[in-house]
Amino acid sequence: MEKQELLEKIAFNVVQGRIEAEDEGFDEGLEDQPAVTELVNQALEQGISPSEILVDGLTDSMTVVGEKFEKGEYLIPDMLAAAEAVGAGMDILTPHLLKDGVESKGRFVIATVIGDLHDIGKNIVSIMIKGAGYDVIDLGVDVPSDKIVEAVKEHNAPYLGLSALLTTTMRNMKEVIDKLKEEGLENTKVCIGGAPTSPEFASEIGADVHCADAFAAIDWLKAQQAA
């Protein structure tokens, strides 16, 4: 299979949310056809560079997913399926990227704050940021403020993402930001997200930015890199 055709097939299967050949996908008749894991391995075997596979096969395809989501063609579970396909491809590519000397763009700690068990949005952001070339430390859900701050300190992370889906838990984001300042970690850039949050709330609690979705988070990180 030609390089361009193979990369396009990887991208197509990301959009379909197909990780392995037995996965159905959103269109009919795709069962038993190679999916992301098989195609990424095939691309590596053919000598296609891991960086090309990452950009042209995995991360760029999520732009298509984002457009489908904005048009109402995809729902959150569809978006998550595609993001998980990217994550599966990244798991295969990461050792090859490291071997090629592709440096991480920086460490990004991410967590859903204490009292909140919602993780779908956080997981999408986590996978997408990892796919964009960052070293992501995902602490999970219901994470105490002290644990988040300790992870930022331990990993010397320049970026922190905080998620909350409840109005009762979003206030816990401020506690994390206050503790960062207490520990002298105010240089860590904080991005917040989740349904009840807003740019106004981000400003109120001292966060650097509010990101409505994973694409906004990546755009913000790109701006930080360019600054």
Side-chain angles (χ1 to χ4, degrees):
M1 194 183 301
E2 293 293 330
K3 179 174 81 170
Q4 191 57 39
E5 182 185 357
L6 186 47
L7 292 172
E8 287 174 0
K9 279 187 175 291
I10 293 170
F12 171 78
N13 280 278
V14 167
V15 176
Q16 291 289 322
R18 297 184 68 239
I19 296 174
E20 297 176 332
E22 59 264 28
D23 294 338
E24 292 184 352
F26 303 124
D27 295 345
E28 293 183 2
L30 296 175
E31 299 89 338
D32 299 324
Q33 293 185 27
V36 169
T37 52
E38 293 88 0
L39 292 167
V40 167
N41 280 317
Q42 185 179 338
L44 289 168
E45 288 167 9
Q46 288 186 201
I48 300 174
S49 78
S51 295
E52 279 188 281
I53 301 169
L54 172 63
V55 175
D56 297 336
L58 298 178
T59 54
D60 280 359
S61 56
M62 284 302 290
T63 303
V64 177
V65 174
E67 290 169 355
K68 286 181 175 291
F69 180 71
E70 288 176 0
K71 293 175 184 175
E73 295 174 16
Y74 273 15
L75 302 176
I76 288 286
D78 305 323
M79 200 170 173
L80 179 59
E84 287 175 343
V86 171
M90 278 298 301
D91 288 342
I92 298 168
L93 284 180
T94 297
H96 299 275
L97 290 166
L98 293 173
K99 187 178 177 182
D100 282 2
V102 178
E103 293 185 7
S104 165
K105 293 179 181 177
R107 296 186 180 95
F108 189 102
V109 173
I110 189 168
T112 300
V113 295
I114 192 165
D116 203 312
L117 300 174
H118 296 89
D119 67 353
I120 291 178
K122 174 191 66 64
N123 290 349
I124 293 173
V125 172
S126 179
I127 293 168
M128 287 290 292
I129 289 175
K130 184 178 180 183
Y134 292 82
D135 182 10
V136 177
I137 299 96
D138 189 340
L139 303 179
V141 301
D142 192 22
V143 186
S145 301
D146 287 339
K147 183 176 178 181
I148 296 172
V149 172
E150 187 57 38
V152 170
K153 185 186 296 185
E154 177 188 344
H155 296 282
N156 192 26
Y159 308 108
L160 170 64
L162 298 175
S163 174
L165 202 66
L166 303 171
T167 55
T168 52
T169 58
M170 61 190 259
R171 290 285 163 190
N172 295 332
M173 292 175 169
K174 185 177 188 305
E175 182 181 341
V176 176
I177 293 169
D178 289 345
K179 286 181 180 294
L180 284 173
K181 292 174 181 174
E182 288 171 13
E183 293 293 325
L185 299 169
E186 58 271 359
N187 287 335
T188 296
K189 302 287 186 181
V190 181
C191 164
I192 69 164
T197 61
S198 65
E200 293 75 22
F201 180 69
S203 178
E204 178 188 328
I205 64 174
D208 291 277
V209 69
H210 167 262
C211 293
D213 54 33
F215 301 100
I218 288 172
D219 286 343
W220 172 68
L221 285 169
K222 284 178 181 176
Q224 300 305 303
Q225 292 284 325

